[in-house]
Amino acid sequence: MADERFVPRFPADTLDAFALAPVSTTPDKPAVVEAGAAGGVVSVSYRELAQRVEEYAKQLGAAGVRIGDRVVVASHTSASAIAVLLACARVGAVFIPVDPDIPALRLDSIVEATGPALVLRPAGVAARTPSGDTPLGTFDAEDGIALDGVADSGRPGRRTVVGGDPAYIIFTSGTTGRPKGVVMSHHAALAFYRGTQRFGALAPDDRVASTSPLAFDVALFDICVSLGTGATLIAVPRAHLSFPRRLLGFLRDTGATVVHGVPSLWRPLLRHEPEGVAALGERLRGILFAGENFPLAELRRLRTLLPHLRVVNAFGATETVACSFSEVPDPLPETAEALSIGRGYPGAEILLLDEAGLPVDEPGVAGEMYIRCPSLFSGYWDDPEATRAALVPDPLEPRSGQLVYRSGDLAHRDPSGELYFCGRADSMVKIRGNRIELGEVERRLAEHPGVSAALVLALDGPDGEAALTAFVVAPAPGATPAELAELCRRSMPVYMIPKRFLFLDELPLNANGKADRKALTALAEADVS
Ligand code: HFR
């Protein structure tokens, strides 16, 4: 427990203080709504949530968890899981949210890398536990946090939580090699959340359906911004995401006014339950999507079913939480081929620089996005080299010591200054020496009326030469390889026409709900037809 002599007189500006602020004005308002154990819906008020946070914080302190200690939380989103995260913030512990069904090796590598004081999981729920001797614990609404060991490292610790301390670590899928732990401080996360509030993403009377896994920072964003705004967070059960009818029923029963999540969340709903989507219109006034492009054909379909739906495109990387919001125009112009990602969130600036590090101001010319903002991550856990490559001196004034995030994302500006994402710097592929942006081929394929989503990869063919393989979700018959190749031939050079077309019922998704490129590559290799 923190030494009484050093208990701060002024609580630091931390996630729990931000998220629980409404307890002083609307204590009895529902803070979190979740599915009940025996079906139905359970509401937890701001007062009840604050009490649970207080109780969990005391138990963490009594167990010896110290400021700066890491606590792995293997759970889906729930009122108790939220209380655990906020209790960690309260005692200055750094929470690491992971999926309860995280692969054992991945959990072990995270535990080995971060040396957590504790691994917590919900009581009564099967969740992965690490193979080592890290103390384990469970949490639930009634019995609080129960530990099967002492978490106390005995190490002399800090005495006061400060806003620049790490609040959480998100381990990204890490396209290259071992997963990278993005360390985010209270101040950085709060700077982004407050920027969101200035953008006006949510209102206090919103009921926000959160559909992302807790291990993805979109879920942390949903939780903190909904609570900090005094709105109500609806924890959508993961299982519902695969059953459109159940998901629609849950959204209706909980009175969701906005739905947050990745674009692929909508594909099964649009395909199997269009009427149910239209029926949401009584309450649903908006959606926010993040993580990847929203295929325009699917977005148009969604808007047909829900006219005047407010659609917010939230863009950015975990290293700055995100960096920009944009309201999709209503109506979306017929000629629109891509969605704007905005101009940077209020308080952030996005620089476009060329390979030489010089500003790209010419409309229509792509540059790499560098983010100047108050929500920069602290670095990758225990990886100074990767950190130096991502947090670089401001190219426009390197002597200042100010750092910016080098995103690896490419974008161009339209004449009005709006930014348009045009792929990853590392997803520019060369086919026979020609530079290709895969997103452009995907957009062309998605123009076919029978295509609802398309994803293109450059895969090495049997002759060792890279060739474009297109994965197409085409619910309506008619989209044939010949037709799609012809569509491409009409508007792109020959080397941009996919060599192979694989038709799928749906795109495989990764843990965060994004199209899973690794799984698609394996599919292509298996399908040698
Ligand atoms: C990301 C990053 C985004 C918005 C990200 C709100 C919150 C959090 C985020 C989520 C994410 N359109 N491409 C988009 N932290 Br709250 O996906 N983070 S990430 O680090 O896993 O991946 C990359 O995903 C970006 O660099 C982009 O390449 C891509 N991306 N948002 C969008 C997107 C298109 N809205």
Side-chain angles (χ1 to χ4, degrees):
M1 201 54 180
D3 181 323
E4 288 310 315
R5 288 175 296 151
F6 297 97
V7 174
R9 282 173 297 147
F10 307 103
D13 188 18
T14 51
L15 292 191
D16 56 299
F18 174 80
L20 295 174
V23 77
S24 56
T25 49
T26 56
D28 298 316
K29 184 170 178 182
V32 182
V33 164
E34 60 189 5
V41 166
V42 170
S43 255
V44 177
S45 72
Y46 275 92
R47 184 201 316 270
E48 289 164 332
L49 183 66
Q51 283 163 350
R52 209 173 297 180
V53 171
E54 197 53 47
E55 180 199 346
Y56 287 178
K58 279 201 181 69
Q59 290 172 316
L60 288 172
V65 173
R66 295 165 180 272
I67 296 173
D69 281 352
R70 274 73 62 196
V71 174
V72 172
V73 182
S75 178
H76 290 313
T77 301
S78 68
S80 291
I82 291 170
V84 167
L85 303 190
L86 296 179
C88 288
R90 174 75 53 83
V91 302
V94 186
F95 62 82
I96 304 175
V98 299
D99 264 4
D101 43 16
I102 181 175
L105 289 180
R106 183 170 165 80
L107 177 58
D108 287 347
S109 80
I110 289 173
V111 165
E112 204 253 325
T114 60
L118 204 48
V119 176
L120 291 178
R121 64 189 191 284
V125 170
R128 187 77 67 194
T129 54
S131 54
D133 56 0
T134 306
L136 306 179
T138 61
F139 60 86
D140 81 354
E142 285 70 40
D143 309 338
I145 292 181
L147 304 185
D148 69 359
V150 172
D152 195 345
S153 61
R155 229 183 15 246
R158 299 194 188 89
R159 295 190 173 114
T160 307
V161 184
V162 301
D165 286 349
Y168 64 78
I169 305 173
I170 292 267
F171 274 86
T172 58
S173 49
T175 41
T176 56
R178 68 191 179 105
K180 290 189 292 194
V182 177
V183 180
M184 191 56 74
S185 68
H186 293 275
H187 273 186
L190 290 173
F192 178 77
Y193 299 156
R194 289 177 173 127
T196 307
Q197 291 179 313
R198 285 164 65 192
F199 169 77
L202 289 177
D205 64 343
D206 265 319
R207 295 171 66 89
V208 184
S210 176
T211 63
S212 293
L214 196 59
F216 194 33
D217 61 348
V218 179
L220 303 181
F221 163 83
D222 296 343
I223 292 163
C224 292
V225 179
S226 303
L227 297 181
T229 304
T232 298
L233 188 280
I234 299 168
V236 176
R238 302 283 301 149
H240 285 11
L241 300 183
S242 322
F243 298 98
R245 232 194 283 269
R246 263 189 242 162
L247 175 56
L248 290 169
F250 188 76
L251 293 175
R252 193 179 47 245
D253 295 351
T254 55
T257 61
V258 288
V259 176
H260 286 195
V262 293
S264 46
L265 138 85
W266 293 99
R267 189 160 301 124
L269 290 171
L270 292 172
R271 176 130 174 233
H272 301 295
E273 298 293 337
E275 303 78 23
V277 171
L280 285 177
E282 284 118 48
R283 288 296 298 269
L284 190 69
R285 58 183 173 216
I287 70 167
L288 175 143
F289 73 88
E292 58 184 2
N293 286 324
F294 204 129
L296 289 195
E298 293 179 337
L299 184 57
R300 291 186 197 283
R301 182 113 172 73
L302 183 62
R303 268 265 178 78
T304 307
L305 297 169
L306 290 167
H308 312 309
L309 184 73
R310 183 192 188 207
V311 179
V312 173
N313 179 6
F315 182 96
T318 299
E319 285 85 344
T320 60
V321 187
C323 66
S324 192
F325 294 101
S326 171
E327 297 238 10
V328 174
D330 179 15
L332 180 62
E334 276 308 305
T335 55
E337 295 197 342
L339 299 177
S340 157
I341 58 173
R343 303 159 186 262
Y345 70 78
E349 179 183 21
I350 295 175
L351 308 167
L352 288 189
L353 304 180
D354 63 18
E355 279 95 348
L358 298 176
V360 171
D361 290 324
E362 186 75 19
V365 177
E368 183 174 356
M369 295 168 68
Y370 286 68
I371 322 294
R372 240 163 37 93
C373 70
S375 57
L376 293 178
F377 73 127
S378 307
Y380 296 112
W381 176 267
D382 193 19
D383 194 343
E385 191 184 331
T387 302
R388 259 194 309 279
L391 285 176
V392 299
D394 176 357
L396 304 188
E397 189 44 86
R399 295 168 299 177
S400 67
Q402 179 173 12
L403 297 175
V404 297
Y405 172 56
R406 179 173 188 180
S407 73
D409 283 327
L410 302 175
H412 62 74
R413 284 196 180 88
D414 70 6
S416 80
E418 290 274 328
L419 287 160
Y420 287 78
F421 173 55
C422 41
R424 298 277 308 164
D426 49 26
S427 88
M428 303 305 278
V429 295
K430 296 271 185 140
I431 300 282
R432 295 193 289 286
N434 303 292
R435 183 167 167 169
I436 291 177
E437 171 40 51
L438 297 173
E440 186 180 342
V441 187
E442 291 164 357
R443 267 197 301 282
R444 283 280 176 268
L445 292 171
E447 278 173 5
H448 189 290
V451 171
S452 78
L455 195 137
V456 177
L457 294 179
L459 302 172
D460 287 346
D463 54 4
E465 189 186 278
L468 294 187
T469 297
F471 302 87
V472 179
V473 178
T480 64
E483 273 194 20
L484 294 177
E486 179 49 33
L487 180 69
C488 294
R489 191 171 294 113
R490 276 207 301 272
S491 57
M492 294 185 294
V494 170
Y495 58 80
M496 290 179 81
I497 301 169
K499 275 268 180 307
R500 286 171 70 193
F501 293 89
L502 293 179
F503 290 83
L504 305 170
D505 274 345
E506 56 194 355
L507 291 176
L509 303 177
N510 67 17
N512 288 342
K514 295 187 182 186
D516 187 335
R517 284 165 167 73
K518 283 196 192 104
L520 287 169
T521 303
L523 263 179
E525 279 156 5
D527 178 314
V528 290
S529 60

